[in-house]
């Protein structure tokens, strides 16, 4: 069963220097209960894809220019704001990267949790408080009743991220989008949070989109992977397709350039030369051609289409078969 | 062994916490609490720990950006801690820093040329013409086009700005560079470019690095030796390969097991630590790690362990290891 289907999504922003396409023709499917990772570097459009699905694009500059976001048969890209609000937080919710900015500093933890419950259910005030306290306990916050009366600044970074997760999950959504949920955390706290997300996902059967730049996090948490570069999907497949037989030179470069614990110390690392192009001056044909070690003349002329390698594996490269 | 380039003895940095404008400090943030280390010429020493463990404070004390509360910092045998600002000047040429966020550490109102010329002016080296030649050479060394000199920091990407930060650090041919999270703000593909540049420069100029970071895989890749820091103290130190192959301290073991591995076939045996890092204002009694340690015994909350040699060239601060 497909829970979410993103079809040819195009998201544009109007800026002083004209309109830019932050997301250009992104398509993927997410089954009920599945986990999909979106990986890429800053500016590749992974967060904008998430905001487009959520209907949280910055207004008035951002808009979905074309394409569909089909959630349980309903195209959210065309849905009214009232309808979107009903879905957001109840059926589809989001875990943000910076718990300090995602939480309101002048409201208690309790109020920020019960607010969501009040909006989406018709529980009484007392029921809302007990739902919220239970949720805090489930995300592993000690003494949840006391924490309910406290403010975000009184909690540590790891605890704040647990609160953000509690807010996202309190209405038992079918789909959670986690945008770099552990990037701001220390590695031991990251391990705790990833473990928590995994447990909650097992318990509730929710689907998840994990957005991150960390290939380690992707390998550990995801079943399917979408690799994005300069607003486009350059490769997608199962986690084994991507890590065992990456086809796109960018995916290969990313995997080769991360230092791992198995690396020979002090050996030069593989690099991807140059840097991500600006969205204002994207290469006309293959967007990766100017950094690609395998590029030839036609890569600068002919835009590569998405090619289907297997039922799960797709790649956007003219030369994938020869590499 | 040759004489160490840098030797730090029992360094302490206690920041006073005042409760009012005129009141005397009653409590102290013990950010660095008795750290000793040494760095050989041309060596890279990695310093790893979670946020708040004092690793950046330690780096800044060594560069004398902070005046340490106690302890000694010897550079080629000369104590830097008690030198006056003026007497310190010649040493500043030899100890440089690279910061995490090059946007904040580069003056936004100066051109890159002016930023790179400044160290030569401060230290009275060369005339205007030779300084310009040096700037052009520096830009070339770090892989930036020479026209960069007339441009401003905001015109560059994060990776290029970090190259400017590195160019400034190597301008006066230092012998030691303190790198404080130099790649943690950068994207993966740019991170490897900067790490390669740092390793190339080390080869060429025989630089020593104190490489401060929280990413263990990065630190392992670039370091000869690694120090693990927890709540202001070194808890383990060994050669880089050793510390990852056979970590002794329970904290190091859990840190290494917590790294997500980019291989979907590998299932890690993760040691999950409970809770958060305690506050350095009131560190736990006895062993500072006992509140989160999966193997702690009652005595760990009473007796503070010392950093002792557990195996050859491999020190650990743990009662359970040292009593075996």
């Amino acid at each position: 069963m497909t829970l979410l289907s993103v079809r040819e999504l195009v998201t544009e922003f109007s800026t002083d220097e004209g309109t830019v396409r932050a997301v250009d023709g992104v398509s993927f499917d997410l089954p009920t209960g599945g986990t999909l990772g979106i990986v890429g570097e800053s500016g590749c459009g992974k967060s904008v894809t998430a905001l487009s699905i959520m209907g949280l694009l910055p207004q008035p500059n951002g808009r979905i220019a074309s394409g569909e976001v089909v959630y349980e048969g309903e195209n959210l890209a065309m849905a009214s704001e009232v309808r979107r609000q009903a879905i957001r937080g109840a059926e589809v919710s989001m875990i943000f990267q910076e718990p300090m900015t995602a939480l309101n500093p002048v409201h208690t933890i309790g109020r920020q949790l019960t607010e969501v419950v009040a909006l989406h259910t018709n529980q009484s005030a007392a029921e809302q408080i007990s739902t919220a306290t239970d949720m805090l306990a489930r995300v592993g916050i000690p003494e949840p009743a006391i924490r309910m009366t406290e403010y975000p600044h009184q909690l540590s970074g790891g605890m704040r991220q647990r609160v953000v997760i509690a807010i996202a999950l309190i209405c038992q959504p079918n789909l959670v989008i986690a945008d770099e949920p552990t990037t701001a955390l220390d590695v031991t706290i990251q391990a705790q949070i990833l473990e928590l997300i995994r447990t909650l996902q097992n318990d509730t059967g929710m689907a998840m989109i994990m957005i991150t730049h960390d290939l380690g996090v992707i390998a550990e948490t995801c079943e399917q992977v979408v690799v994005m570069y300069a607003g486009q999907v350059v490769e997608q497949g199962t986690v084994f397709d991507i890590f065992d037989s990456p086809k796109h030179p960018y995916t290969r470069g990313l995997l080769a350039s991360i230092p791992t614990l198995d690396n020979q110390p002090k050996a030069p690392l593989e690099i991807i030369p140059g840097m991500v192009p600006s969205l204002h001056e994207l290469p006309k044909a293959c967007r990766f051609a100017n950094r690609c070690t395998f590029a030839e003349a036609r890569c600068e002329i002919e835009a590569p289409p998405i090619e289907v390698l297997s039922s799960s594996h797709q790649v956007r490269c003219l030369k994938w078969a020869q590499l | 062994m040759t004489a160490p380039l840098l030797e730090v003895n029992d360094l302490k940095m206690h920041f006073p916490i005042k409760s009012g404008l005129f009141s005397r400090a009653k409590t102290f943030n013990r950010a660095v609490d008795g750290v000793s280390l040494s760095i050989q010429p041309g060596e890279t020493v990695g310093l790893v720990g979670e946020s708040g463990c004092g690793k950046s404070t330690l780096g800044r004390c060594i560069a004398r950006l902070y005046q340490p509360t106690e302890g000694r910092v010897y550079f080629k045998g000369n104590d830097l801690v008690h030198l006056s600002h003026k007497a310190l000047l010649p040493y500043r040429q030899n100890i440089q820093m690279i910061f995490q966020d090059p946007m904040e550490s580069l003056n936004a109102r100066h051109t890159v040329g002016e930023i790179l010329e400044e160290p030569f002016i401060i230290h009275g080296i060369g005339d205007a013409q030779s300084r310009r030649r040096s700037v052009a050479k520096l830009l070339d060394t770090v892989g930036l086009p020479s026209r960069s000199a007339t441009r401003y920091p905001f015109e560059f990407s994060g990776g290029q700005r970090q190259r400017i930060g590195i160019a400034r650090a190597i301008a006066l041919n230092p012998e030691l560079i303190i790198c404080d999270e130099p790649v943690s703000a950068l994207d993966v593909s740019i991170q490897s470019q900067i790490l390669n540049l740092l390793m190339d420069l080390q080869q060429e100029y025989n630089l020593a690095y104190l490489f401060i970071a929280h990413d263990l895989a990065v630190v392992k890749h670039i370091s000869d030796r690694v120090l693990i820091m927890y709540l202001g103290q070194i808890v383990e130190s060994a050669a880089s390969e050793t510390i990852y192959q056979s970590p002794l301290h329970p904290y190091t073991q859990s840190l290494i097991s917590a790294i997500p591995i980019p291989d979907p076939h590998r299932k890690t045996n993760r040691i999950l630590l409970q809770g958060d890092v305690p506050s350095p204002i009131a560190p736990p009694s006895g062993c500072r790690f006992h509140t989160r340690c999966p193997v702690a015994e009652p005595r760990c909350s009473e007796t503070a362990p010392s950093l002792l040699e557990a195996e050859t060239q491999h020190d650990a601060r743990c009662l359970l290891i040292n009593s075996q």
Side-chain angles (χ1 to χ4, degrees):
Chain A
M1 252 300 271
T2 303
L3 179 72
L4 178 81
S5 177
V6 175
R7 290 280 134 243
E8 292 296 325
L9 179 71
V10 176
T11 303
E12 292 181 342
F13 287 90
S14 11
T15 70
D16 294 342
E17 291 144 76
T19 306
V20 294
R21 277 195 178 181
V23 173
D24 194 4
V26 167
S27 301
F28 57 81
D29 290 316
L30 176 64
T32 308
T35 307
L36 176 125
I38 304 182
V39 67
E41 298 177 279
S42 4
C44 72
K46 55 189 194 300
S47 290
V48 176
T49 304
L51 295 176
S52 307
I53 297 170
M54 292 295 295
L56 288 175
L57 287 170
Q59 294 301 326
N61 294 328
R63 65 187 187 96
I64 296 180
S66 65
E68 296 181 343
V69 177
V70 182
Y71 168 77
E72 292 201 313
E74 180 180 359
N75 182 8
L76 297 183
M78 304 298 285
S80 68
E81 186 51 31
V82 175
R83 177 71 190 128
R84 278 205 168 253
Q85 272 180 17
I87 292 173
R88 195 160 52 219
E91 295 184 46
V92 181
S93 65
M94 189 151 174
I95 300 170
F96 293 93
Q97 175 179 0
E98 286 286 341
M100 203 57 213
T101 41
L103 295 173
N104 190 329
V106 300
H107 288 172
T108 62
I109 304 295
R111 173 154 179 194
Q112 299 186 52
L113 280 156
T114 52
E115 185 185 19
V116 189
V117 187
L119 201 63
H120 294 292
T121 68
N122 33 30
Q123 290 183 4
S124 69
E127 285 170 337
Q128 289 170 17
I129 289 173
S130 83
T131 309
T133 317
D134 289 349
M135 194 64 222
L136 283 184
R138 280 186 64 198
V139 297
I141 291 183
E143 302 172 286
I146 298 172
R147 298 295 171 215
M148 288 280 287
T149 63
E150 289 185 344
Y151 291 88
H153 73 90
Q154 292 170 286
L155 303 182
S156 68
M159 285 297 151
R160 283 199 287 261
Q161 192 57 288
R162 285 170 193 267
V163 172
V164 171
I165 293 173
I167 292 174
L169 300 191
I170 195 161
C171 288
Q172 296 169 334
N174 296 325
L175 170 64
V176 171
I177 302 176
D179 188 4
E180 305 263 9
T182 57
T183 305
L185 305 174
D186 276 316
V187 61
T188 62
I189 309 297
Q190 162 170 291
Q192 291 173 5
I193 297 292
L194 291 179
E195 185 60 36
L196 170 69
I197 290 177
R198 203 170 358 225
T199 313
L200 292 169
Q201 207 184 355
N202 277 338
D203 294 352
T204 60
M206 65 186 183
M208 187 162 74
I209 298 178
M210 173 72 88
I211 296 173
T212 177
H213 67 276
D214 187 333
L215 289 156
V217 172
I218 292 277
E220 284 203 0
T221 54
C222 300
E223 294 151 4
Q224 292 180 62
V225 184
V226 171
V227 183
M228 286 187 71
Y229 184 79
Q232 294 181 326
V233 175
V234 294
E235 184 162 7
Q236 65 172 302
T238 66
V239 71
F240 299 107
D241 290 335
I242 299 295
F243 283 84
D244 294 346
S245 51
K247 293 290 183 242
H248 198 282
Y250 178 64
T251 317
R252 292 171 164 217
L254 270 188
L255 285 166
S257 62
I258 30 172
T260 68
L261 294 182
D262 304 328
N263 273 32
Q264 194 61 36
K266 296 222 158 181
L269 291 161
E270 295 283 329
I271 61 159
I272 302 176
M275 53 188 169
V276 180
S278 151
L279 290 176
H280 291 284
E281 38 199 56
L282 286 172
K284 295 274 178 304
C286 174
R287 295 187 178 174
F288 187 61
N290 60 350
R291 300 176 74 191
C292 181
T293 30
F294 306 104
E296 50 187 54
R298 64 178 173 139
C299 298
E300 315 259 353
I301 306 160
E302 219 178 306
I306 280 275
E307 292 191 49
V308 179
L309 278 65
S310 72
S311 59
S312 61
H313 199 170
Q314 301 175 5
V315 67
R316 190 190 288 277
C317 175
L318 293 173
K319 293 189 65 188
W320 71 268
Q322 299 146 40
L323 302 179
Chain B
M1 243 175 29
T2 50
L5 183 67
L6 180 84
E7 202 169 354
V8 174
N9 276 340
D10 201 24
L11 194 77
K12 291 182 183 169
M13 182 74 228
H14 294 177
F15 295 103
I17 296 168
K18 293 180 181 171
S19 46
L21 186 57
F22 297 108
S23 65
R24 286 179 58 195
K26 291 187 196 75
T27 51
F28 292 89
N29 179 344
R30 299 163 194 276
V32 176
D33 209 10
V35 168
S36 301
L37 60 92
S38 69
I39 302 178
Q40 302 292 324
E43 187 188 30
T44 305
V45 173
L47 182 62
V48 182
E50 295 179 274
S51 35
C53 75
K55 56 189 191 298
S56 291
T57 307
L58 175 59
R60 286 168 186 230
C61 284
I62 293 171
R64 265 286 301 270
L65 297 181
Y66 293 143
Q67 174 69 40
T69 317
E70 257 183 75
R72 293 275 186 277
V73 176
Y74 297 100
F75 185 80
K76 290 182 165 174
N78 302 301
D79 181 15
L80 304 185
V81 170
H82 300 289
L83 288 183
S84 68
H85 203 77
K86 203 171 164 191
L88 199 64
L89 204 59
Y91 295 101
R92 290 231 192 262
Q93 277 189 45
N94 279 313
I95 306 178
Q96 289 289 323
M97 272 196 90
I98 299 171
F99 298 92
Q100 172 174 1
D101 187 342
M103 198 60 211
E104 280 176 30
S105 59
L106 301 175
N107 190 327
R109 291 167 177 272
H110 286 184
T111 63
V112 170
E114 286 165 350
I115 289 169
L116 295 180
E117 219 181 324
E118 201 174 12
F120 297 100
I121 296 171
I122 290 172
H123 290 274
I125 298 167
D127 52 30
Q129 206 180 1
S130 79
R131 286 200 295 264
R132 265 197 299 280
R133 271 200 306 274
S134 305
V135 168
K137 186 165 170 288
L138 280 172
L139 287 171
D140 183 54
T141 310
V142 297
L144 289 172
S146 55
R147 63 174 185 277
S148 311
T150 55
R151 292 163 64 185
Y152 289 88
F154 76 89
E155 298 178 70
F156 295 86
S157 70
Q160 290 173 320
R161 280 200 289 265
Q162 197 54 290
R163 287 177 193 268
I164 299 166
I166 292 171
R168 180 176 60 180
I170 62 169
L172 300 174
N173 293 318
E175 291 172 77
L176 172 67
I177 298 183
I178 296 163
C179 311
D180 191 358
E181 302 266 14
V183 296
S184 45
L186 304 175
D187 271 320
V188 189
S189 73
I190 308 299
Q191 173 176 303
S192 54
Q193 294 177 1
I194 297 296
L195 290 174
N196 280 354
L197 173 64
L198 286 172
M199 290 190 284
D200 290 346
L201 292 173
Q202 179 166 48
Q203 286 281 317
E204 200 173 334
Y205 300 104
N206 195 35
L207 290 168
Y209 293 132
L210 179 64
F211 194 92
I212 302 170
H214 66 276
D215 185 329
L216 288 104
V218 167
V219 170
K220 185 208 169 194
H221 191 85
I222 198 166
S223 305
D224 299 298
R225 273 191 305 131
V226 175
L227 313 173
I228 310 283
M229 199 166 174
Y230 187 77
L231 272 184
Q233 297 179 329
I234 306 288
V235 296
E236 185 162 358
S237 84
S240 158
E241 202 64 43
T242 316
I243 217 159
Y244 291 93
Q245 297 293 331
S246 49
L248 294 174
H249 198 283
Y251 178 61
T252 316
Q253 290 170 350
S254 61
L255 262 189
I256 290 173
S257 83
I259 309 170
I261 296 167
D263 177 355
H265 297 283
R266 187 130 47 140
K267 291 282 164 277
T268 42
N269 283 324
R270 188 148 288 163
I271 309 165
L272 271 191
L273 288 184
Q274 300 302 311
D276 296 306
V277 183
S279 159
I281 297 168
S285 63
C287 170
R288 294 187 175 188
F289 185 57
H290 85 263
T291 52
R292 299 174 78 200
C293 182
V295 295
E297 295 177 0
R299 60 181 168 141
C300 296
S301 59
E302 287 153 17
T303 319
S306 326
L307 187 64
L308 298 172
E309 189 162 57
E311 289 165 7
T312 320
Q313 304 282 318
H314 191 166
D315 300 349
R317 187 190 291 275
C318 177
L319 293 174
L320 302 175
I321 297 166
N322 297 330
S323 62
Q324 274 166 13

